[in-house]
Amino acid sequence: MASAAVPSQAGPHPTEFQLSVGEGKILQFKKKPQIAAVAELVWNALDANATQVDVELRREWDAITQIVVTDNGHGMTPERARAAFAGYGETWKTGKTHTEGNTRILHGHNGEGRLYALALGDRLTWESVAEIDGRLVGVWIGGNADHSTVWQAQETTPARDNTGTTVRIDVPQGKALRRLERDDAAANLTAKLAFYLMAYPDVCVTFDGRRLDPSDIIVGEPIDLPLNLPEEYTQEDPAPVVTFVEWNQRMSDRRMLICNADGIALYEQGGEWADSIVSFTPYLRSNLFNDISVDDLHGLPMSHGGLLDAAAKAVQEHLSLRGAQISAAVVRQLKDEGIYPYSGPPASRTQAIERQTFDVVVTVARDALPSKGAARRLSVSLIQTALESSPGDLHTILAKVLALSDEDRRHLKNLLDSTDLTHVIEAATTVTNRLNFIGALRKIFADPHLRKDLREVDQLHPMIAKNLWLFGDDWNMAMNEVGLTNVLQVHLEDHLGEDVVLENRLETVTQPDGRTGRVDVLLFRSRRDDSSTERLVIELKRPNVRVGKKELDQIKGYARAIVDDPQYSGVDCKWRFYLITYEYSDKILRDIRQKDKPEGLADDHHDYEVWVKNWGEILETAEKKLLFFQRQLNYEATDDRVTQHLRESYSRFIPESLAEDSQNGAAAAGSDTGSETESAQIP
């Protein structure tokens, strides 16, 4: 861009140059990535043949207030400084491939690098010393984000005894430079300079007091990935290639770097690569990018879309391979240590998925695991236990026990969410527990002694209240309702008798010996959304009550009284009343088996329904809903399993005779599981 000189004021004021390009074009650099902005300042120094470049972050109260970049390059003469800062997109580097004296490869040639500093602060100054005819000359250049098209230049007395440049960037109060404050900031900057620093080992770049050395963070040797190139690139010599560099620490900048054939990074392309196992940077290298302009770099998806797609596919394939290799090595090590929590082939598809998920999680957490001893064994066991029984606790364990970083946990969550592994395990755990619960109730009801020993009020009823999915999944999340409690209590004695009590008032019903009395219990729930309200009322009859005409007429009258109550009369609401019993009389079969109505529906109106069900029908219906999942899981609720499930999950609510000998029961369950593990194959 051409520039127009602005007449300087009288006196010793610097010469001002105003760019003819619009301010909007300049201010776009304020949005550049912070690490990329620092990298551009370093590249400018390296292009000036600097062998030492220091990036200093000056702080006050832990906040960065100034960034200072100092180098020992050849500096800028006053003439070159005015030419460089007077024009946008103009630079002495245009058309050149190497630095002065043909010393090293040249990075920039677009005349934009200095403007990246606007992403870091608002006041910018360059103080440079160069040599002209054996003598040192100094120059000062200044700019301000508030007047981004105006730059000032002034010849000065040299401020140093050798050539070089110092850039100072004042950071305004309140401006956050989080990318520079991160632990991986130096590593991210190293990744951008890696090939250059490996090619010129005599060059030293420091960032915040740390020398940038690719050999400190590179894993193994860089690998060139062959590309399945579109036909138009097959004649390129050498062919474009993606160099895959793996790091030993997490990088927050994970975009593909577009490079010239020598691996000098020119541009970041595309979105970030998110992988929770491998930390890496892909470098797309080609002669096609040796002399490419900034505008052409921005247009790469249009001009070289086929090449970018081929590069992305090659990276993804290699990532899958490396992830599998790393995971296999981690699992092999755990097995060698004797702490891998699985043995033999998986007994079911669920176990196979759980094991696959464990391998992924423990691989991601490999660096956070304790190195040895009981702590390492415990950490591995906690991960396995969470996956087996409570996947929702996994992230808590990784955060609080293993102190896995937020970044690693975020990537792991994305990985697991994208594959739905934890969702499958959670669903499998739910289905398995429900199958066990159904089997447990069948066991109790089928055994006359257990049925007799079972106390309804403080044993059966609390278990049912925790498993309302038996009547429909939505009811499991529904809540009690204060207003409904009061209305039910008002109508209770008039219609159902004194021996029926609300579930939340059970503690008031006791026998002389202090135990809870033998009464019928009313469970009730309410759920609503923006368009409707539904209420469920369940009367649980004692197993020794054979429901007949009297009990059916009672609940019908009760239902009508509740629905007609002034509090609910005229309210858009659907009521369902369930009369649940172990056995009912033949005398009510015609009432509950009416033509063109579902079996069990005894009273059907537009605003309420009355149902009579026995436990066999309820358990059969619930089990059928789980049948598909049961087949997929290849899971059978054996007697040992359901007994163990009762002892582990409902120990307070089961007959004493069933709770006894829990150790033997656990041993039997363990024996059953072990034999199945050895013999069963994945479906």
Side-chain angles (χ1 to χ4, degrees):
M1 289 284 181
S3 60
V6 178
S8 61
Q9 302 294 323
H13 294 289
T15 302
E16 286 189 349
F17 296 93
Q18 181 169 340
L19 299 182
S20 58
V21 68
E23 187 176 40
K25 182 74 171 178
I26 304 300
L27 290 181
Q28 67 176 329
F29 289 92
K30 296 182 71 172
K31 300 178 182 179
K32 296 293 184 181
Q34 294 165 6
I35 293 292
V38 173
E40 285 297 327
L41 296 174
V42 173
W43 280 124
N44 278 346
L46 297 176
D47 284 347
N49 275 334
T51 58
Q52 180 73 41
V53 185
D54 300 309
V55 180
E56 180 184 359
L57 307 181
R58 296 181 177 176
R59 298 175 173 85
E60 291 183 10
W61 302 102
D62 294 328
I64 299 175
T65 57
Q66 190 178 58
I67 300 171
V68 181
V69 182
T70 305
D71 70 68
N72 64 349
H74 54 56
M76 292 182 288
T77 64
E79 180 182 3
R80 176 170 287 182
R82 293 188 182 95
F85 284 88
Y88 172 78
E90 297 179 3
T91 174
W92 63 272
K93 305 174 190 178
T94 302
K96 300 182 183 294
T97 60
H98 286 73
T99 60
E100 289 186 355
N102 219 30
T103 305
R104 299 199 296 265
I105 294 172
L106 195 65
H107 171 267
H109 54 265
N110 288 301
E112 288 187 335
R114 66 187 181 276
L115 298 176
Y116 274 74
L118 291 168
L120 304 174
D122 56 354
R123 288 186 297 170
L124 322 172
T125 62
W126 280 255
E127 295 180 36
S128 190
V129 175
E131 183 177 338
I132 301 178
D133 298 330
R135 67 183 182 89
L136 297 178
V137 295
V139 65
W140 175 93
I141 307 100
N144 194 306
D146 293 335
H147 305 284
S148 59
T149 61
V150 176
W151 294 87
Q152 300 175 325
Q154 180 179 13
E155 188 169 344
T156 63
T157 301
R160 53 199 293 175
D161 296 332
N162 52 3
T163 62
T165 302
T166 299
V167 183
R168 291 183 174 84
I169 304 168
D170 291 333
V171 181
Q173 186 176 6
K175 182 176 179 63
L177 297 177
R178 295 187 181 90
R179 290 289 185 175
L180 303 189
E181 293 281 22
R182 293 175 61 105
D183 293 338
D184 63 356
N188 285 319
L189 184 57
T190 303
K192 293 180 172 21
L193 305 171
F195 281 92
Y196 191 97
L197 295 177
M198 289 187 290
Y200 303 110
D202 59 320
V203 172
C204 176
V205 178
T206 68
F207 175 83
D208 203 22
R210 297 170 55 185
R211 179 169 182 171
L212 307 185
D213 186 352
S215 64
D216 289 341
I217 59 174
I218 283 182
V219 175
E221 295 292 330
I223 299 174
D224 287 341
L225 306 180
L227 306 182
N228 185 14
L229 292 168
E231 185 176 353
E232 62 265 30
Y233 297 97
T234 56
Q235 301 303 315
E236 291 294 326
D237 187 21
V241 66
V242 169
T243 299
F244 187 96
V245 178
E246 191 173 331
W247 313 109
N248 61 14
Q249 64 183 81
R250 179 69 57 195
M251 298 282 191
S252 57
D253 289 343
R254 291 175 298 274
R255 301 171 72 186
M256 181 178 290
L257 295 180
I258 304 300
C259 309
N260 61 20
D262 297 301
I264 305 303
L266 307 172
Y267 184 70
E268 295 179 330
Q269 172 61 38
E272 288 192 353
W273 288 88
D275 189 89
S276 56
I277 296 178
V278 187
S279 182
F280 68 100
T281 301
Y283 301 80
L284 177 56
R285 303 165 56 195
S286 174
N287 281 325
L288 294 168
F289 308 134
N290 285 356
D291 300 307
I292 193 169
S293 69
V294 172
D295 289 338
D296 288 340
L297 283 171
H298 286 296
L300 283 180
M302 297 291 293
S303 59
H304 293 287
L307 176 58
L308 296 179
D309 289 343
K313 184 177 180 180
V315 171
Q316 191 60 61
E317 290 175 351
H318 187 70
L319 264 183
S320 298
L321 174 63
R322 279 298 294 144
Q325 290 173 340
I326 293 172
S327 185
V330 171
V331 169
R332 187 165 53 250
Q333 181 178 350
L334 294 179
K335 288 181 177 179
D336 291 343
E337 297 172 16
I339 60 175
Y340 188 69
Y342 305 97
S343 61
S348 66
R349 190 170 296 174
T350 304
Q351 289 186 13
I353 293 173
E354 179 192 319
R355 190 177 301 193
Q356 178 187 358
T357 307
F358 174 86
D359 292 349
V360 170
V361 172
V362 80
T363 300
V364 173
R366 62 192 185 278
D367 294 329
L369 288 173
S371 59
K372 57 184 179 180
R376 181 172 174 85
R377 180 182 297 273
L378 175 62
S379 298
V380 171
S381 177
L382 285 173
I383 293 174
Q384 188 268 335
T385 301
L387 289 175
E388 182 180 49
S389 59
S390 184
D393 294 337
L394 177 61
H395 291 291
T396 300
I397 292 172
L398 294 176
K400 296 185 177 180
V401 178
L402 297 183
L404 199 65
S405 69
D406 291 342
E407 187 77 8
D408 280 340
R409 282 187 288 116
R410 180 172 68 86
H411 285 294
L412 176 61
K413 181 179 184 302
N414 291 339
L415 174 63
L416 296 181
D417 286 349
S418 66
T419 57
D420 283 338
L421 293 177
T422 52
H423 298 160
V424 170
I425 292 173
E426 287 174 345
T429 301
T430 298
V431 170
T432 300
N433 288 340
R434 289 183 178 184
L435 289 170
N436 283 336
F437 184 69
I438 290 173
L441 289 183
R442 289 190 188 280
K443 177 183 178 73
I444 292 174
F445 288 138
D447 188 322
H449 299 292
L450 291 176
R451 193 167 67 244
K452 180 180 178 182
D453 291 342
L454 181 68
R455 298 193 302 273
E456 294 82 30
V457 174
D458 61 340
Q459 291 184 335
L460 175 61
H461 300 142
M463 285 195 288
I464 300 304
K466 292 176 179 291
N467 293 277
L468 286 179
W469 52 267
L470 288 167
F471 309 100
D473 244 316
D474 291 347
W475 293 113
N476 221 37
M477 300 298 293
M479 305 296 291
N480 291 116
E481 184 181 319
V482 175
L484 182 56
T485 301
N486 296 329
V487 171
L488 292 176
Q489 189 63 40
V490 168
H491 293 285
L492 210 53
E493 293 184 9
D494 292 339
H495 294 274
L496 295 182
E498 297 180 357
D499 59 347
V500 179
V501 64
L502 301 183
E503 59 175 308
N504 57 358
R505 301 193 178 183
L506 284 175
E507 66 276 7
T508 65
V509 183
T510 57
Q511 294 179 352
D513 62 2
R515 291 193 307 163
T516 305
R518 295 277 180 170
V519 296
D520 298 325
V521 180
L522 214 62
L523 303 176
F524 55 97
R525 295 292 186 274
S526 180
R527 66 185 182 195
R528 66 187 66 198
D529 54 30
D530 293 338
S531 58
S532 64
T533 300
E534 293 183 85
R535 292 183 172 91
L536 177 70
V537 180
I538 303 172
E539 185 185 2
L540 297 175
K541 283 293 183 182
R542 289 162 284 173
N544 61 343
V545 174
R546 196 165 185 244
V547 168
K549 193 71 173 174
K550 174 186 174 183
E551 289 78 16
L552 179 56
D553 288 342
Q554 275 186 329
I555 197 168
K556 282 184 178 180
Y558 177 66
R560 293 167 185 173
I562 294 295
V563 172
D564 292 339
D565 187 281
Q567 181 169 329
Y568 297 111
S569 181
V571 176
D572 184 15
C573 173
K574 183 69 174 182
W575 293 79
R576 288 181 177 85
F577 294 85
Y578 277 64
L579 181 60
I580 308 297
T581 179
Y582 176 69
E583 187 179 11
Y584 48 70
S585 170
D586 292 343
K587 294 181 180 180
I588 64 170
L589 289 181
R590 290 183 179 180
D591 295 280
I592 63 176
R593 294 179 182 175
Q594 301 179 43
K595 185 179 179 181
D596 299 328
K597 291 182 185 260
E599 185 167 330
L601 182 57
D603 202 4
D604 184 16
H605 291 266
H606 74 280
D607 52 357
Y608 78 94
E609 299 170 352
V610 175
W611 295 77
V612 179
K613 293 284 186 180
N614 65 34
W615 280 114
E617 294 167 334
I618 291 172
L619 298 181
E620 181 70 17
T621 300
E623 199 167 39
K624 283 181 178 179
K625 292 179 180 179
L626 299 171
L627 185 59
F628 170 77
F629 297 100
Q630 181 184 19
R631 289 170 178 167
Q632 296 300 309
L633 299 176
N634 193 31
Y635 182 82
E636 180 183 357
T638 64
D639 186 74
D640 285 335
R641 283 170 169 167
V642 301
T643 302
Q644 188 67 15
H645 180 68
L646 280 175
R647 288 170 175 156
E648 291 177 350
S649 303
Y650 300 97
S651 60
R652 297 187 309 134
F653 307 131
I654 60 177
E656 285 77 2
S657 59
L658 191 59
E660 292 174 355
D661 199 21
S662 61
Q663 291 184 345
N664 292 337
S671 174
D672 175 73
T673 303
S675 61
E676 181 183 86
T677 300
E678 293 299 326
S679 61
Q681 300 295 321
I682 301 175

